[in-house]
């Protein structure tokens, strides 16, 4: 073979080998890119599963229970428990038998809390008995149940000192209550009627005007109110800060109960039952540890109102409170009768299913 032919053949072989090398490198790059794409695809799938799974896992691990209460000492169990939750050692959270988060919601008076039941914004609430009866009537007995008693006493009719010495002196006077239709509002109107003093929603022999407790104190101090039917600590504040005096009170009056929304009680009967038992246990603890209970009530009220609350005020108000979990249908029949007398309820109402039976 001529030398020039051999040389040409060698050159062709060299070009073929170089081409094969290029193809090989391209194939390696393609294989690596494919592996990288597969890895990214698997990573994205894992991230999507993680995003979907984590909330589900958290929901499975932690049940949220929404509980309402008022910033009044008559809701002592809620104030103490809320303070414990705030400190990371929740009373109810540790007694539910599973991971639970308690969300505490604050209301000024009972009708607002009952509205939260109807909108399913809360599951249980500490509340006065009259709004419970009104809500039970409104929902035809299908939405509200009383789970337990909570507090007796702690409410009073306070008058400006030396101005009212008899019930008849209240004629033509202005009397404040915390909210239209709340327990103190209904009781005030029914009591006035029993004294022969006619009152209506717009007037009568005396004016009963719904007024928030902070405004009540201010107006009382300014002598724009003659009397107020309210609860602790406002009773004590009206006495100490606005020259008021107690004209009428019933130390055995049912002031606060624990109520549950029927939908929650049916769907989470076991949790509701454990909450009820924990509520009873907390009431026993409060009675056995009054000093720490009063301190926690003070701390929680100070945190809620962002105003330093006097321990002396809490201690004085506490003398008019009687924590008590007993409950029967008789007081609610009386509240129903009072609501009828003052015109808040006209329909026929059956209270036989009002008390919850787990």
């Amino acid at each position: 073979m001529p030398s020039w032919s051999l040389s040409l053949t060698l050159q062709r072989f060299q070009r073929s080998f170089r081409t094969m090398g290029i193809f090989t490198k391209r194939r390696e790059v393609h294989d690596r890119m494919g592996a990288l794409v597969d890895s990214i695809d698997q990573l994205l799938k894992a991230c999507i599963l993680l995003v979907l799974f984590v909330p589900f896992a958290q929901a499975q691990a932690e049940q949220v229970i929404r509980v309402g209460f008022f910033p009044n000492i008559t809701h002592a169990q809620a104030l103490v428990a809320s303070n414990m939750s705030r400190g990371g050692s929740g009373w109810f959270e540790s007694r539910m038998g599973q991971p639970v988060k308690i969300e505490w919601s604050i209301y000024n008076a009972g009708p607002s809390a009952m509205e939260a039941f109807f909108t399913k914004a809360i599951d249980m609430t500490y509340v006065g008995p009259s709004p419970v009866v009104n809500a039970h009537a409104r929902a035809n007995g299908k939405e509200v149940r009383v789970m337990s008693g909570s507090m007796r006493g702690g409410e009073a009719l306070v008058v400006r000192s030396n101005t009212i010495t008899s019930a008849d002196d209240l004629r033509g006077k202005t009397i404040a209550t915390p909210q239209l239709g709340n327990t103190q509002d209904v009781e005030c109107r029914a009591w006035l009627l029993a004294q022969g003093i006619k009152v209506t929603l717009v007037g009568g022999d005396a004016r009963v005007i719904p007024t928030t407790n902070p405004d009540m104190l201010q107006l009382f101090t300014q002598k724009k109110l003659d009397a107020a039917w309210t609860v602790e600590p406002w009773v004590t504040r009206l006495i100490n800060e606005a020259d008021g005096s107690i004209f009428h009170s019933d130390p055995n009056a049912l002031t606060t109960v624990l109520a549950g929304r029927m939908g929650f009680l049916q769907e989470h009967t076991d949790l509701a039952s454990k909450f009820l038992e924990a509520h009873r246990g907390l009431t026993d603890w409060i009675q056995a540890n009054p000093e720490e209970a009063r301190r926690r009530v003070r701390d929680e009220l100070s945190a809620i109102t962002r105003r330093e609350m006097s321990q002396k005020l809490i201690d004085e108000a506490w003398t008019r409170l009687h924590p008590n979990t007993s409950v029967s249908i008789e007081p609610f029949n009386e509240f129903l009768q009072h609501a009828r007398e003052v015109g808040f309820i006209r329909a026929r109402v059956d209270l036989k299913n009002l008390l919850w039976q787990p």
Side-chain angles (χ1 to χ4, degrees), residues 161-297:
S161 296
N162 304 320
T163 62
I164 297 171
T165 59
S166 69
D168 203 55
D169 292 337
L170 291 168
R171 293 182 183 277
K173 299 298 192 293
T174 301
I175 308 162
T177 60
Q179 188 175 12
L180 181 67
N182 92 315
T183 298
Q184 288 70 51
D185 184 70
V186 173
E187 290 305 286
C188 177
R189 294 171 188 273
W191 183 84
L192 288 170
L193 287 173
Q195 309 308 309
I197 302 174
K198 182 180 178 180
V199 290
T200 67
L201 293 179
V202 293
D205 299 332
R207 292 180 61 219
V208 178
I209 58 171
T211 311
T212 63
N213 284 310
D215 290 341
M216 191 184 296
L217 177 61
Q218 182 178 358
L219 293 171
F220 206 98
T221 303
Q222 296 170 350
K223 299 184 179 181
K224 294 180 180 179
L225 292 175
D226 301 294
W229 196 306
T230 188
V231 296
E232 294 290 2
W234 301 100
V235 170
T236 300
R237 293 193 66 179
L238 288 170
I239 294 171
N240 295 342
E241 301 175 36
D243 193 30
S245 60
I246 293 178
F247 184 81
H248 170 77
S249 67
D250 180 359
N252 294 315
L254 181 60
T255 312
T256 311
V257 300
L258 174 63
R261 182 172 56 81
M262 195 59 191
F264 175 80
L265 299 179
Q266 290 175 332
E267 294 171 15
H268 302 282
T269 303
D270 185 56
L271 276 178
S273 297
K274 289 178 180 177
F275 192 97
L276 173 58
E277 287 304 312
H279 161 73
R280 291 169 176 164
L282 178 58
T283 304
D284 292 339
W285 181 90
I286 288 173
Q287 292 173 320
N289 302 274
E291 185 174 348
E292 183 178 350
R294 292 195 301 269
R295 178 185 62 78
R296 286 189 177 277
V297 165

Side-chain angles (χ1 to χ4, degrees), residues 22-239:
I22 291 173
F23 286 154
T24 301
K25 289 178 181 179
R26 285 179 178 175
R27 187 177 297 110
E28 290 176 356
V29 170
H30 180 272
D31 292 341
R32 290 175 183 176
M33 287 297 294
L36 181 59
V37 169
D38 289 340
S39 298
I40 292 173
D41 182 63
Q42 292 175 6
L43 181 61
L44 287 173
K45 289 179 180 178
C47 289
I48 291 171
L49 288 173
L50 187 63
V51 169
L52 294 174
F53 177 78
V54 168
F56 176 79
Q58 289 177 339
Q60 290 291 99
E62 185 176 77
Q63 173 71 43
V64 176
I65 301 177
R66 304 162 301 171
V67 185
F69 71 103
F70 313 159
N72 302 327
I73 303 181
T74 49
H75 290 222
Q77 289 93 335
L79 288 167
V80 170
S82 178
N83 184 254
M84 290 179 174
S85 296
R86 189 184 297 273
S89 57
W91 178 274
F92 290 104
E93 292 89 333
S94 62
R95 288 165 172 80
M96 293 295 101
Q98 67 180 74
V100 164
K101 178 182 179 181
I102 306 295
E103 289 185 353
W104 297 98
S105 298
I106 301 171
Y107 299 91
N108 180 60
S112 301
M114 292 298 94
E115 284 299 323
F117 263 17
F118 289 127
T119 60
K120 299 182 180 180
I122 55 176
D123 305 310
M124 292 176 283
T125 189
Y126 289 87
V127 65
S130 280
V132 168
V133 171
N134 292 337
H136 188 75
R138 175 180 166 185
N140 296 317
K142 298 178 181 179
E143 188 62 36
V144 184
R145 292 292 183 270
V146 173
M147 302 171 65
S148 173
S150 183
M151 189 68 67
R152 292 181 180 271
E155 68 171 18
L157 172 61
V158 181
V159 300
R160 285 197 286 115
S161 296
N162 304 320
T163 62
I164 297 171
T165 59
S166 69
D168 203 55
D169 292 337
L170 291 168
R171 293 182 183 277
K173 299 298 192 293
T174 301
I175 308 162
T177 60
Q179 188 175 12
L180 181 67
N182 92 315
T183 298
Q184 288 70 51
D185 184 70
V186 173
E187 290 305 286
C188 177
R189 294 171 188 273
W191 183 84
L192 288 170
L193 287 173
Q195 309 308 309
I197 302 174
K198 182 180 178 180
V199 290
T200 67
L201 293 179
V202 293
D205 299 332
R207 292 180 61 219
V208 178
I209 58 171
T211 311
T212 63
N213 284 310
D215 290 341
M216 191 184 296
L217 177 61
Q218 182 178 358
L219 293 171
F220 206 98
T221 303
Q222 296 170 350
K223 299 184 179 181
K224 294 180 180 179
L225 292 175
D226 301 294
W229 196 306
T230 188
V231 296
E232 294 290 2
W234 301 100
V235 170
T236 300
R237 293 193 66 179
L238 288 170
I239 294 171

